[in-house]
Amino acid sequence: MAAPGLLLLLALPAGAWPRLGLPPRPCVHCCRPAWPPATPGSPAPDGDGEKWVQLPHVRPTIDISILKGEKGETGVRGRSGRSGKEGPPGSRGLRGRKGQKGQVGLPGTPCQRAYAAFSVGRREGLHSTDAFQAVPFDTELVNLDGAFDLASGRFLCAAPGVYFLSLTVHTWNYKETYLHIMCNQQAAAVLYAQPSERSVMQTQSLLLPLAAGDTVWVRMFKRDQDNAIYGEPGDLYITFSGHLVKPAAEL
């Protein structure tokens, strides 16, 4: 009788179990499930009392080299990007080789340089008669452009600049020698010798700036004693010379 009753109970629908007053029973699998439980790694009892073991996770991989195709053609070159900021200057490079000699240039204009010079002399002696007397000359040694007038004893400056001037005389025995090198009406230098029983050669020289139109000459001065310079027709004892050292344009 027990077997037919069991079969009858199993044939009842699920909703009829509570009305029969029977205690509820959990559903038990009669065989091992085909998949692991809902929570991986958590043990779940089965009918045989065994535990589930989590299967290893397997990730499939694909060898890309097998699927790689042939290299394509080079594409069109893109536009140039913006210029970057200027970097710091680099170190100085090595010195390069000397270049080839260039061609000869065109000839330049000739340099226009001013020249001026004179050198004159007097062969006859001269005694002073007035308070002031210009010394004339009778011998011309050098006179560029005729700038020196022998009769008046004056040099007229046409090329301004710095001039070197020199006066040389022979003194007279027992007579005073007192001369001035004049620029216009101003005494620039003096040549003096006291009276002596022996005559000597005296020289005075100087550098003097002259402007265009200035005159240079020698003046004899007389004081209480006789003033004279010695000369002979056969020899040249008295000379007066000058030349331009540097033009004013180059100063």
Side-chain angles (χ1 to χ4, degrees), residues 171-188:
T171 62
W172 207 306
N173 294 4
Y174 304 106
K175 294 185 179 181
E176 185 181 42
T177 301
Y178 192 5
L179 303 169
H180 285 117
I181 298 177
M182 303 291 294
C183 178
N184 299 324
Q185 299 301 319
Q186 298 293 328

Side-chain angles (χ1 to χ4, degrees), residues 118 164-168 181 203-206 239-242:
F118 69 89
F164 176 79
L165 303 173
S166 177
L167 174 63
T168 301
I181 298 177
T203 299
Q204 177 65 284
S205 59
L206 72 158
T239 59
F240 183 38
S241 304

Side-chain angles (χ1 to χ4, degrees), residues 183-201:
C183 178
N184 299 324
Q185 299 301 319
Q186 298 293 328
V190 61
L191 187 153
Y192 179 79
Q194 293 181 348
S196 174
E197 62 180 5
R198 299 182 61 180
S199 61
V200 295
M201 298 291 294

Side-chain angles (χ1 to χ4, degrees), residues 205-220:
S205 59
L206 72 158
L207 286 169
L208 191 66
L210 298 180
D214 287 345
T215 57
V216 176
W217 52 290
V218 179
R219 184 182 70 178
M220 178 176 284

